[in-house]
Amino acid sequence: MNLERDARHRQRQDDIITAARRCFRQSGFHAASMAQLAGEAQLSVGQIYRYFTNKDAIIEQMVKRIIDDRMAEVVVNSHTPKLPALLAWRQVTDEDDEALMLEVAAEATRNPRVASMLVEADSRMFDHAMQTLQQDYPQFSEEKVRACVEVLAVMVEGTAFRRLTPQKASADRLHTIYQQLIKQLFETEDK
């Protein structure tokens, strides 16, 4: 009986998060009201509060799920040389996730709770990327791996932001440059 109840609880949370994602994409975190979320989820506001204490708790669960998905993707794609192409052609796995994480960054400038969520999400991703690279490059020092992850994070997150503007260089040329940069980054341990 508990398994069935837990499954219903999880499904209701999923439904609320799906509705919240749509509302947040339409209105932003700050402007999306609990009434709007409830309407989108076809629930009452009171029903939503049974599953989440407030809007920040919904945002936190949404961010956790996005980061979980990204960490799983890193494991799957850690041995494929796709990153230069993704960066050059400004491709993303999930448009909504990218837009929502930009919204998280914007909301973090206004809301200390969301700012701490962003710091936690970044720490989880960074630590996960470090573990993955340490396995792939055991000859690198921890400092080298940390520097590589930081450079990759800047390239990926910068590209996510740059996707909002027209690309000003040829994707083919950028692909070559990204390949060179990443190759140099992982060639050898610094002295």
Side-chain angles (χ1 to χ4, degrees):
M1 193 62 123
N2 280 343
L3 291 175
E4 190 176 308
R5 185 187 47 161
D6 290 347
R8 279 195 316 267
H9 185 84
R10 174 70 180 190
Q11 182 59 52
R12 187 63 71 162
Q13 284 183 319
D14 291 347
D15 294 343
I16 292 167
I17 289 172
T18 299
R21 287 173 61 99
R22 286 191 298 266
C23 291
F24 295 153
R25 283 279 286 146
Q26 267 181 345
S27 305
F29 292 142
H30 197 66
S33 68
M34 289 302 278
Q36 183 184 3
L37 297 178
E40 186 70 30
Q42 299 178 339
L43 298 169
S44 70
V45 172
Q47 286 173 303
I48 289 180
Y49 284 124
R50 286 184 191 161
Y51 299 94
F52 296 98
T53 56
N54 55 32
K55 189 168 34 169
D56 286 353
I58 297 171
I59 295 168
E60 184 171 26
Q61 185 59 223
M62 184 194 68
V63 169
K64 181 190 178 309
R65 291 177 183 199
I66 289 170
I67 297 305
D68 288 349
D69 289 346
R70 287 182 175 181
M71 287 175 15
E73 187 179 314
V74 166
V75 170
V76 169
N77 294 323
S78 68
H79 297 291
T80 59
K82 291 179 11 174
L83 187 58
L86 294 174
L87 295 171
W89 279 274
R90 295 183 176 181
Q91 299 170 343
V92 295
T93 304
D94 189 308
E95 292 273 340
D96 283 340
D97 284 357
E98 288 299 321
L100 288 165
M101 289 308 289
L102 288 172
E103 186 65 37
V104 168
E107 184 66 14
T109 66
R110 298 181 287 269
N111 182 331
R113 178 69 186 111
V114 175
S116 71
M117 288 178 214
L118 186 60
V119 168
E120 170 64 25
D122 179 71
S123 291
R124 286 183 62 220
M125 276 298 296
F126 199 92
D127 291 347
H128 182 73
M130 286 219 23
Q131 289 172 0
T132 301
L133 283 181
Q134 284 171 330
Q135 289 172 355
D136 292 348
Y137 298 93
Q139 72 276 19
F140 287 174
S141 68
E142 183 178 335
E143 183 180 340
K144 168 78 175 187
V145 171
R146 184 172 299 283
C148 289
V149 171
E150 184 67 28
V151 169
L152 292 172
V154 168
M155 288 194 305
V156 169
E157 292 166 12
T159 299
F161 183 77
R162 295 289 301 159
R163 291 180 75 242
L164 302 173
T165 62
Q167 191 156 320
K168 296 174 181 59
S170 150
D172 289 325
R173 183 67 185 130
L174 289 171
H175 184 255
T176 300
I177 292 170
Y178 283 129
Q179 284 177 315
Q180 292 167 350
L181 287 170
I182 292 169
K183 181 179 180 216
Q184 184 177 4
L185 190 63
F186 291 107
E187 267 183 351
T188 58
E189 175 75 60
D190 295 331
K191 302 287 187 241

